[in-house]
Amino acid sequence: MTRLVYDETFEGLLTAIFQVYEERLQQVTIIPETDLQPDFFSEDVTVYTDTGKADRVWRGLKPFSLLRQMIYKAYLREASGAENTILEAVRYVLKTKNEKDYGHPAILQLANWTKEVGREKHRMEAFVRFKRAQDDTYIAVIEPDFNVLPLIAKHFKSRYADQVFMIYDLKRNYGIYYDLQKVDFINLDSERLKNLDAITHEEEKCYDVMWQDYFKSTGIKSRVNKKLHLRHVPKRYWKYLNEKNPY
Amino acid sequence: MNFERIREKLNILADAAKYDVSCSSSGSKRTNTNKGLGDSSGMGICHSYTEDGRCISLLKILLTNHCIFDCAYCVSRKSNDIKRAGFKIQEVVDLTINFYRRNYIEGLFLSSGIFSSPDYTMERLIAVARKLRLEENFNGYIHLKSIPGCSDELMKEAGLYADRLSINIEIPTVSGLKLLAPEKDHKDFIKPMETVKNNIAIYKSEKKLLRSTPVYAPAGQSTQMIVGATGESDKDIMYSAVHYYSTYKMKRVYYSGYVPVLEDNRLPALGTEVPMLRENRLYQTDWLLRFYGFDVRELLNKDHPNLDVDIDPKLSWALRNLHLFPVDINKADKRMLARIPGLGMKSVYKILNARKYRKLNWEHLKAIGIAMNRAKYFMVCDSKDWERRDLEPQRIKSMILQSSQSKYQKMYNQQLQLF
Ligand code: SF4
């Protein structure tokens, strides 16, 4: 058994897949370097991430745009062992051309992960709450279940074209920053982001309070349905929703 | 900004607006091309949910709750002794922009009590929308309420700034309206609908000739009916709904279980339970009509003027039409698959896709995530195993009810006890 150890980047994963084909590896698993546990029976090979090779794999999958989508989202899902499901699906689709065959376990698994990541993306587009800083940057902090920042950047850029903003993923310690021209990835000292109140604009408090008021007044008491409410807004998301954290 | 004053107005005017259930923010296609603020080209987002589980997508407020009318079912009616308030135009603009910039909302849903005259009121609503679009470069979603009885010219202007226009018919029958809102004329509701429908058609055909033609109410129009205020049947409600869908090309009809807000002997007493289950069944029926190819006469008719409370309308229809089942899921067309109780359109598409590659058996169906507890009585697949007994409708119904824990079970047990 060969173990291909990669650096956890998407290009790294594609490079590993390239290597599987190039070296015609049959008994192979792909594992992230942080998960590496010594295994007496296998031979470990380090994958050197190579954009050229990654590109070739990506281009090779071009006829299967649905599969490409699923691979990228399954990668962002960060499930353990996802690399091998992805590899299996790639092998199956290249052989049979059936990227929509949900009867195949690997394809079905990718489809499910894709759905989960899609749901999380949609949630973040909804649940991001910006605070206006003194310098007029709008800042939001999130901790999504999956790594969806790369997926939501476009949505926020087209929505807030005239507003400098930053969305920071505290769990993965990186963020996106829009400077009115383009969106960049950034790394910051996450400790500083834990107490935003120190840098927010004076009017922030007013809008914060009015939004909480609005949330309360728009509910209809005689219809209360807590279970339904929780299904839509699971507790783990409450931390950054100001309407759920009254003053 | 006088924060405390605005805060008080917001509390009063959001509270008065909440009985309008529409909160849709989809279907607009308004993109951010001017590097301004906002984009409504997506699916519409629920930024939060109320504690009753309804989507919060728009800042839904009244411009004012002062009103010269006295409709019995409305909190803002003239004779009701409540606090009154009114926003200035700029105040609504500022609130909308600031909520939007913080990603609280998709846009504004502005309605109003009628003060001085319908036209005067409508002008003020339009002024807010105009300011948002022209001065603030706002491309978020705007839903304006059409004020019954306002002029065609104003309706025409409203659609140039609003994504959606709506006018709530509220009472499904003309006789009910006479009883509860005697000062209002049915025609005053219909005329703005007609105007909006015609303008949408005109602008659409002009756009085909001249690309620079502005869009007019790109998300169409909608209406709402109150359920359970006047003793109307489900058939009355749904036949009206079908009429509005087809005659006025409505995007949506909303059904709102009546929430008793004041004492009036023409209406259900205060404390009467909101008919939420009934409301839910009406929405299910609405879906079956719009997406599942049902005709309203199949679901509601002379012999069957009200929907079943304990089972959903599709199951109820199937039990009345057992001669059409079981359906072979490897052969049936899309239309018939969609009629199997328990199968949603998503499942139907999954089946259509999966059966291209192999004949499906129970295992396959389970693997692609089809919920079987209702469906199994109504279909056969590639397996010798299927429900062979010639079961009576009543028996199927009770087996299904036993195996499913309806989220409403508690509620209809309560409601059934009343009979
Ligand atoms: S006109 Fe509208 S706001 Fe005024 S009482 Fe009637 S329903 Fe209420």
Side-chain angles (χ1 to χ4, degrees):
Chain A
M1 169 77 92
T2 311
R3 298 203 300 179
L4 295 177
V5 182
Y6 84 113
D7 61 4
E8 292 172 61
T9 61
F10 191 57
E11 287 72 24
L13 174 60
L14 294 179
T15 310
I17 292 174
F18 183 90
Q19 216 155 319
V20 170
Y21 277 87
E22 190 184 43
E23 296 169 19
R24 294 176 208 284
L25 301 172
Q26 291 304 324
Q27 295 291 317
V28 60
T29 59
I30 304 174
I31 53 172
E33 57 193 8
T34 43
D35 278 5
L36 192 60
Q37 307 259 336
D39 177 355
F40 185 75
F41 297 102
S42 57
E43 177 205 353
D44 291 345
V45 179
T46 304
V47 174
Y48 295 99
T49 298
D50 176 331
T51 17
K53 288 177 181 173
D55 265 359
R56 277 176 62 188
V57 171
W58 203 236
R59 263 182 285 130
L61 294 174
K62 197 160 177 214
F64 310 107
S65 56
L66 184 72
L67 179 73
R68 291 218 295 199
Q69 274 289 322
M70 294 200 290
I71 291 174
Y72 185 48
K73 294 200 176 141
Y75 163 77
L76 296 175
R77 171 65 181 71
E78 303 172 326
S80 93
E83 296 83 359
N84 299 302
T85 313
I86 291 172
L87 177 60
E88 207 185 314
V90 168
R91 283 176 150 158
Y92 178 74
V93 172
L94 287 181
K95 208 165 65 204
T96 65
K97 319 283 181 228
N98 293 344
E99 59 173 344
K100 280 191 188 155
D101 182 3
Y102 300 108
H104 189 276
I107 305 271
L108 184 65
Q109 179 63 262
L110 290 198
N112 287 338
W113 282 333
T114 300
K115 214 192 306 163
E116 286 177 345
V117 168
R119 198 181 306 136
E120 190 69 359
K121 166 184 186 278
H122 204 69
R123 273 190 175 133
M124 285 304 129
E125 287 170 358
F127 293 163
V128 156
R129 295 284 181 267
F130 287 115
K131 288 179 194 297
R132 180 180 175 191
Q134 284 146 17
D135 69 352
D136 278 351
T137 307
Y138 284 77
I139 302 176
V141 180
I142 58 174
E143 292 181 53
D145 287 354
F146 315 124
N147 186 12
V148 294
L149 261 188
L151 299 176
I152 65 177
K154 198 167 142 242
H155 167 86
F156 283 99
K157 180 174 175 241
S158 55
R159 169 161 301 215
Y160 297 112
D162 71 342
Q163 156 178 338
V164 177
F165 69 80
M166 176 179 83
I167 306 173
Y168 205 84
D169 182 342
L170 272 186
K171 218 185 221 171
R172 295 167 186 81
N173 198 22
Y174 80 105
I176 51 176
Y177 180 82
Y178 172 66
D179 62 1
L180 300 181
Q181 303 299 327
K182 59 191 183 320
V183 177
D184 290 313
F185 289 109
I186 48 165
N187 288 96
L188 292 176
D189 173 7
S190 57
E191 280 310 307
R192 278 186 44 209
L193 288 168
K194 283 182 183 153
N195 183 15
L196 283 179
D197 288 345
I199 56 163
T200 52
H201 194 277
E202 53 177 308
E203 70 167 28
E204 192 51 41
K205 190 80 206 160
C206 304
Y207 287 106
D208 188 40
V209 166
M210 284 198 283
W211 174 241
Q212 291 170 18
D213 283 357
Y214 178 71
F215 177 77
K216 259 184 277 155
S217 359
T218 199
I220 300 178
K221 276 212 190 66
S222 49
R223 299 181 58 119
V224 163
N225 184 343
K226 278 275 164 58
K227 234 164 116 186
L228 187 61
H229 175 69
L230 283 177
R231 202 169 65 221
H232 287 309
V233 196
K235 277 221 167 105
R236 64 179 184 286
Y237 297 100
W238 287 19
K239 192 164 157 195
Y240 298 112
L241 293 175
N242 50 346
E243 69 270 22
K244 292 309 229 169
N245 294 286
Y247 41 93
Chain B
M1 177 177 77
N2 184 344
F3 166 59
E4 280 307 328
R5 182 73 195 108
I6 295 194
R7 189 177 170 196
E8 194 192 349
K9 291 187 194 179
L10 178 63
N11 282 338
I12 295 171
L13 296 170
D15 190 82
K18 69 184 170 193
Y19 300 100
D20 201 313
V21 292
S22 157
C23 203
S24 162
S25 56
S26 59
S28 161
K29 304 194 192 73
R30 192 183 294 274
T31 50
N32 189 346
T33 43
N34 48 3
K35 241 198 167 200
L37 172 64
D39 188 292
S40 317
S41 57
M43 302 229 301
I45 297 175
C46 296
H47 287 272
S48 195
Y49 289 83
T50 60
E51 295 205 329
D52 44 297
R54 288 173 310 137
C55 166
I56 302 180
S57 157
L58 302 173
L59 170 62
K60 196 193 305 184
I61 48 176
L62 300 188
L63 189 59
T64 176
N65 63 344
H66 288 286
C67 190
I68 53 174
F69 284 93
D70 205 33
C71 310
Y73 46 81
C74 176
V75 253
S76 303
R77 71 187 221 182
K78 185 174 61 187
S79 61
N80 199 20
D81 181 21
I82 47 164
K83 261 198 183 160
R84 307 275 168 173
F87 276 124
K88 296 196 185 101
I89 288 167
Q90 190 61 43
E91 288 171 343
V92 177
V93 170
D94 289 343
L95 260 181
T96 306
I97 295 290
N98 276 290
F99 275 15
Y100 194 90
R101 287 204 181 282
R102 287 164 176 78
N103 205 41
Y104 297 166
I105 54 170
E106 292 288 281
L108 173 68
F109 179 174
L110 189 61
S111 177
S112 183
I114 302 178
F115 50 104
S116 56
S117 74
D119 273 356
Y120 183 77
T121 310
M122 195 67 217
E123 266 167 27
R124 316 282 292 172
L125 297 185
I126 294 172
V128 172
R130 188 193 304 119
K131 226 175 177 150
L132 280 168
R133 293 284 187 235
L134 303 185
E135 289 176 24
E136 302 286 339
N137 248 332
F138 180 68
N139 302 301
Y141 195 89
I142 300 180
H143 179 162
L144 290 187
K145 192 56 87 51
S146 321
I147 300 299
C150 84
S151 72
D152 285 355
E153 290 69 50
L154 287 176
M155 284 320 298
K156 196 166 166 188
E157 198 189 350
L160 295 177
Y161 307 121
D163 294 292
R164 168 166 287 184
L165 292 163
S166 72
I167 186 158
N168 288 353
I169 202 76
E170 302 292 19
I171 304 301
T173 58
V174 175
S175 59
L177 186 72
K178 275 227 171 70
L179 177 72
L180 296 176
E183 313 150 291
K184 274 191 181 163
D185 189 343
H186 188 70
K187 284 196 239 64
D188 291 342
F189 292 89
I190 298 307
K191 212 176 69 144
M193 285 184 191
E194 189 75 46
T195 314
V196 171
K197 183 191 88 175
N198 292 338
N199 278 320
I200 290 176
I202 292 168
Y203 277 84
K204 254 197 198 137
S205 65
E206 278 177 12
K207 184 126 190 131
K208 277 192 201 124
L209 300 174
L210 190 64
R211 274 195 53 83
S212 60
T213 307
V215 289
Y216 182 92
Q221 55 175 340
S222 63
T223 191
Q224 164 174 301
M225 283 185 265
I226 298 179
V227 176
T230 51
E232 67 297 313
S233 69
D234 292 341
K235 175 168 166 269
D236 291 336
I237 295 172
M238 290 315 304
Y239 279 51
S240 298
V242 167
H243 171 71
Y244 292 117
Y245 275 125
S246 62
T247 315
Y248 304 105
K249 306 273 178 307
M250 290 285 159
K251 276 276 157 55
R252 286 296 302 275
V253 174
Y254 293 91
Y255 312 91
S256 169
Y258 177 68
V259 181
V261 281
L262 25 82
E263 205 56 74
D264 186 309
N265 54 17
R266 291 168 289 176
L267 286 167
L270 279 180
T272 308
E273 215 167 305
V274 183
M276 277 153 67
L277 179 54
R278 184 175 176 206
E279 183 188 294
N280 182 273
R281 295 286 180 236
L282 290 167
Y283 276 112
Q284 287 173 325
T285 308
D286 186 279
W287 275 76
L288 292 179
L289 300 179
R290 290 192 298 140
F291 304 116
Y292 286 72
F294 277 89
D295 183 294
V296 70
R297 289 163 296 186
E298 296 179 278
L299 302 168
L300 289 161
N301 47 52
K302 196 157 85 296
D303 303 324
H304 194 70
N306 284 302
L307 299 166
D308 283 320
V309 184
D310 51 354
I311 53 173
D312 67 83
K314 187 155 86 168
L315 176 56
S316 168
W317 171 84
L319 292 174
R320 280 180 273 132
N321 292 278
L322 279 181
H323 58 282
L324 300 172
F325 296 97
V327 169
D328 183 341
I329 62 136
N330 285 304
K331 294 205 187 98
D333 62 1
K334 189 171 106 188
R335 180 182 156 278
M336 208 52 217
L337 288 176
R339 291 179 170 237
I340 300 175
L343 284 199
M345 280 322 276
K346 271 200 189 132
S347 301
V348 169
Y349 287 114
K350 277 192 199 157
I351 289 171
L352 288 172
N353 231 319
R355 76 183 188 187
K356 282 189 211 148
Y357 303 106
R358 57 179 70 77
K359 281 197 159 213
L360 305 176
N361 60 30
W362 297 116
E363 292 304 308
H364 296 129
L365 290 172
K366 232 175 261 164
I368 57 178
I370 310 288
M372 219 75 75
N373 80 42
R374 267 175 294 171
K376 67 181 173 200
Y377 300 99
F378 301 93
M379 60 198 220
V380 289
C381 57
D382 191 30
S383 157
K384 290 198 189 58
D385 236 357
W386 50 283
E387 185 58 64
R388 278 160 214 284
R389 290 171 294 175
D390 214 353
L391 295 169
E392 287 295 312
Q394 260 313 319
R395 179 111 162 81
I396 299 182
K397 179 171 158 180
S398 70
M399 289 197 297
I400 289 175
L401 285 179
Q402 265 164 28
S403 68
S404 63
Q405 259 298 330
S406 162
K407 55 185 184 239
Y408 290 106
Q409 197 136 20
K410 231 180 44 230
M411 214 189 288
Y412 62 68
N413 284 344
Q414 265 170 23
Q415 293 193 352
L416 287 178
Q417 276 164 17
L418 298 174
F419 299 101

